[in-house]
Each structure stands twice: as C-alpha cells, then as structure tokens.
Short mmCIF file of all heavy atoms in Angstrom, two decimals:
data_model
loop_
_atom_site.label_atom_id
_atom_site.label_comp_id
_atom_site.label_asym_id
_atom_site.label_seq_id
_atom_site.Cartn_x
_atom_site.Cartn_y
_atom_site.Cartn_z
N LEU A 1 15.45 -1.96 19.06
CA LEU A 1 15.45 -3.17 18.24
C LEU A 1 14.12 -3.90 18.31
O LEU A 1 13.65 -4.45 17.30
CB LEU A 1 16.59 -4.10 18.67
CG LEU A 1 17.98 -3.66 18.24
CD1 LEU A 1 19.03 -4.62 18.76
CD2 LEU A 1 18.08 -3.54 16.71
N ILE A 2 13.50 -3.91 19.47
CA ILE A 2 12.18 -4.56 19.58
C ILE A 2 11.19 -3.87 18.65
O ILE A 2 10.42 -4.53 17.93
CB ILE A 2 11.70 -4.54 21.04
CG1 ILE A 2 12.58 -5.47 21.90
CG2 ILE A 2 10.23 -4.97 21.14
CD1 ILE A 2 12.39 -5.28 23.39
N GLY A 3 11.21 -2.53 18.63
CA GLY A 3 10.34 -1.80 17.72
C GLY A 3 10.70 -2.04 16.26
O GLY A 3 9.82 -2.21 15.41
N TRP A 4 11.99 -2.07 15.96
CA TRP A 4 12.45 -2.29 14.59
C TRP A 4 12.05 -3.67 14.09
O TRP A 4 11.64 -3.83 12.94
CB TRP A 4 13.96 -2.11 14.53
CG TRP A 4 14.63 -2.44 13.24
CD1 TRP A 4 15.63 -3.34 13.05
CD2 TRP A 4 14.39 -1.88 11.95
NE1 TRP A 4 16.02 -3.38 11.74
CE2 TRP A 4 15.27 -2.48 11.04
CE3 TRP A 4 13.50 -0.91 11.49
CZ2 TRP A 4 15.29 -2.16 9.69
CZ3 TRP A 4 13.52 -0.59 10.13
CH2 TRP A 4 14.41 -1.21 9.25
N LEU A 5 12.12 -4.68 14.95
CA LEU A 5 11.76 -6.03 14.54
C LEU A 5 10.27 -6.15 14.22
O LEU A 5 9.89 -6.98 13.38
CB LEU A 5 12.15 -7.02 15.63
CG LEU A 5 13.66 -7.30 15.73
CD1 LEU A 5 14.00 -8.00 17.03
CD2 LEU A 5 14.12 -8.13 14.54
N ARG A 6 9.44 -5.35 14.84
CA ARG A 6 8.00 -5.40 14.53
C ARG A 6 7.72 -4.91 13.12
O ARG A 6 6.71 -5.29 12.52
CB ARG A 6 7.22 -4.56 15.54
CG ARG A 6 7.25 -5.09 16.97
CD ARG A 6 6.21 -4.40 17.83
NE ARG A 6 6.33 -4.77 19.23
CZ ARG A 6 6.82 -3.99 20.19
NH1 ARG A 6 7.23 -2.75 19.88
NH2 ARG A 6 6.91 -4.41 21.43
N ARG A 7 8.58 -4.05 12.59
CA ARG A 7 8.37 -3.51 11.25
C ARG A 7 9.54 -3.83 10.32
O ARG A 7 9.77 -3.10 9.35
CB ARG A 7 8.14 -2.00 11.34
CG ARG A 7 9.28 -1.21 11.94
CD ARG A 7 8.96 0.29 12.04
NE ARG A 7 10.12 1.08 12.40
CZ ARG A 7 10.56 1.25 13.63
NH1 ARG A 7 9.93 0.67 14.65
NH2 ARG A 7 11.64 1.99 13.88
N TYR A 8 10.23 -4.91 10.60
CA TYR A 8 11.41 -5.28 9.82
C TYR A 8 10.99 -5.48 8.36
O TYR A 8 10.06 -6.22 8.06
CB TYR A 8 12.02 -6.56 10.37
CG TYR A 8 13.43 -6.82 9.91
CD1 TYR A 8 14.51 -6.13 10.46
CD2 TYR A 8 13.69 -7.76 8.92
CE1 TYR A 8 15.81 -6.37 10.04
CE2 TYR A 8 14.98 -8.01 8.50
CZ TYR A 8 16.04 -7.31 9.06
OH TYR A 8 17.32 -7.55 8.63
N PRO A 9 11.67 -4.82 7.42
CA PRO A 9 11.26 -4.88 6.01
C PRO A 9 11.25 -6.30 5.47
O PRO A 9 12.13 -7.12 5.78
CB PRO A 9 12.32 -4.02 5.30
CG PRO A 9 12.85 -3.10 6.37
CD PRO A 9 12.81 -3.90 7.64
N GLU A 10 10.27 -6.58 4.65
CA GLU A 10 10.05 -7.95 4.18
C GLU A 10 11.26 -8.50 3.42
O GLU A 10 11.56 -9.69 3.52
CB GLU A 10 8.81 -7.97 3.27
CG GLU A 10 8.46 -9.36 2.78
CD GLU A 10 7.19 -9.36 1.96
OE1 GLU A 10 6.52 -8.31 1.92
OE2 GLU A 10 6.88 -10.41 1.37
N HIS A 11 11.93 -7.66 2.67
CA HIS A 11 13.04 -8.16 1.84
C HIS A 11 14.41 -7.78 2.41
O HIS A 11 15.41 -7.86 1.71
CB HIS A 11 12.90 -7.62 0.41
CG HIS A 11 11.66 -8.08 -0.27
ND1 HIS A 11 11.43 -9.40 -0.58
CD2 HIS A 11 10.55 -7.39 -0.67
CE1 HIS A 11 10.25 -9.52 -1.16
NE2 HIS A 11 9.69 -8.33 -1.23
N ALA A 12 14.46 -7.41 3.68
CA ALA A 12 15.75 -7.10 4.32
C ALA A 12 16.49 -8.40 4.65
O ALA A 12 15.89 -9.47 4.73
CB ALA A 12 15.52 -6.28 5.58
N PRO A 13 17.78 -8.34 4.85
CA PRO A 13 18.58 -9.56 5.04
C PRO A 13 18.20 -10.32 6.32
O PRO A 13 17.76 -9.75 7.30
CB PRO A 13 20.01 -9.03 5.13
CG PRO A 13 19.98 -7.70 4.48
CD PRO A 13 18.64 -7.14 4.75
N TYR A 14 18.44 -11.64 6.27
CA TYR A 14 18.24 -12.49 7.43
C TYR A 14 19.57 -12.95 8.05
O TYR A 14 19.59 -13.61 9.07
CB TYR A 14 17.43 -13.73 7.06
CG TYR A 14 18.22 -14.75 6.27
CD1 TYR A 14 18.98 -15.73 6.91
CD2 TYR A 14 18.24 -14.72 4.88
CE1 TYR A 14 19.73 -16.65 6.18
CE2 TYR A 14 18.98 -15.64 4.15
CZ TYR A 14 19.73 -16.60 4.80
OH TYR A 14 20.48 -17.50 4.08
N ASP A 15 20.69 -12.57 7.46
CA ASP A 15 21.97 -13.21 7.75
C ASP A 15 22.61 -12.66 9.03
O ASP A 15 22.09 -11.78 9.70
CB ASP A 15 22.92 -13.05 6.56
CG ASP A 15 23.31 -11.59 6.31
OD1 ASP A 15 22.54 -10.69 6.69
OD2 ASP A 15 24.39 -11.36 5.74
N LEU A 16 23.79 -13.20 9.34
CA LEU A 16 24.53 -12.81 10.54
C LEU A 16 25.19 -11.45 10.36
O LEU A 16 25.11 -10.59 11.25
CB LEU A 16 25.59 -13.88 10.85
CG LEU A 16 26.62 -13.56 11.93
CD1 LEU A 16 25.96 -13.25 13.27
CD2 LEU A 16 27.60 -14.73 12.07
N ILE A 17 25.84 -11.21 9.26
CA ILE A 17 26.61 -9.98 9.08
C ILE A 17 25.70 -8.75 9.05
O ILE A 17 25.97 -7.75 9.74
CB ILE A 17 27.42 -10.05 7.77
CG1 ILE A 17 28.48 -11.16 7.84
CG2 ILE A 17 28.09 -8.70 7.48
CD1 ILE A 17 29.65 -10.88 8.73
N ASN A 18 24.64 -8.81 8.27
CA ASN A 18 23.83 -7.61 8.02
C ASN A 18 22.39 -7.70 8.51
O ASN A 18 21.70 -6.68 8.51
CB ASN A 18 23.79 -7.33 6.51
CG ASN A 18 25.14 -6.95 5.96
OD1 ASN A 18 25.83 -6.13 6.53
ND2 ASN A 18 25.52 -7.57 4.84
N GLY A 19 21.90 -8.87 8.92
CA GLY A 19 20.48 -9.04 9.08
C GLY A 19 19.99 -9.56 10.41
O GLY A 19 20.58 -9.32 11.47
N LEU A 20 18.89 -10.30 10.35
CA LEU A 20 18.18 -10.77 11.52
C LEU A 20 19.04 -11.60 12.46
O LEU A 20 18.96 -11.45 13.68
CB LEU A 20 16.96 -11.59 11.08
CG LEU A 20 15.78 -10.83 10.50
CD1 LEU A 20 14.82 -11.79 9.80
CD2 LEU A 20 15.07 -10.05 11.60
N THR A 21 19.83 -12.50 11.91
CA THR A 21 20.64 -13.38 12.77
C THR A 21 21.64 -12.57 13.58
O THR A 21 21.89 -12.87 14.75
CB THR A 21 21.37 -14.43 11.92
OG1 THR A 21 20.41 -15.13 11.11
CG2 THR A 21 22.09 -15.44 12.80
N GLY A 22 22.17 -11.51 13.00
CA GLY A 22 23.06 -10.63 13.75
C GLY A 22 22.35 -9.95 14.90
O GLY A 22 22.92 -9.80 16.00
N LEU A 23 21.10 -9.54 14.69
CA LEU A 23 20.32 -8.96 15.79
C LEU A 23 20.09 -10.00 16.88
O LEU A 23 20.08 -9.68 18.08
CB LEU A 23 18.99 -8.43 15.27
CG LEU A 23 19.06 -7.35 14.19
CD1 LEU A 23 17.66 -6.86 13.83
CD2 LEU A 23 19.94 -6.19 14.63
N GLY A 24 19.93 -11.26 16.48
CA GLY A 24 19.80 -12.33 17.45
C GLY A 24 21.06 -12.53 18.28
O GLY A 24 20.99 -12.81 19.48
N VAL A 25 22.22 -12.36 17.66
CA VAL A 25 23.48 -12.48 18.40
C VAL A 25 23.56 -11.39 19.47
O VAL A 25 23.98 -11.64 20.61
CB VAL A 25 24.68 -12.40 17.44
CG1 VAL A 25 25.99 -12.21 18.19
CG2 VAL A 25 24.74 -13.66 16.59
N TYR A 26 23.17 -10.17 19.11
CA TYR A 26 23.14 -9.11 20.11
C TYR A 26 22.21 -9.48 21.26
O TYR A 26 22.55 -9.33 22.45
CB TYR A 26 22.68 -7.79 19.48
CG TYR A 26 22.27 -6.77 20.52
CD1 TYR A 26 23.23 -6.05 21.22
CD2 TYR A 26 20.92 -6.57 20.84
CE1 TYR A 26 22.86 -5.15 22.21
CE2 TYR A 26 20.56 -5.67 21.82
CZ TYR A 26 21.53 -4.96 22.51
OH TYR A 26 21.16 -4.08 23.49
#
C-alpha cells in the first residue's frame, strides 16, 4: 500500500468504500 499510494492514479476514488479514505481506515 505504501508503494501504491506513491503512484495512486490522479482520478481514482478518494472515498471510504473504494478509495483513499478506506486505505486510511486500514
């Protein structure tokens, strides 16, 4: 996930269910 976050696609979701916020919950 650390590697994935460095190259996270610009238009990928930010939300809890599918996106960045969900990665933050993990």
Side-chain angles (χ1 to χ4, degrees):
L1 286 178
I2 291 167
W4 173 237
L5 286 165
R6 294 193 187 106
R7 60 182 190 278
Y8 196 77
E10 183 176 352
H11 297 295
Y14 74 87
D15 66 335
L16 170 59
I17 296 287
N18 294 313
L20 287 166
T21 306
L23 301 184
V25 168
Y26 165 78

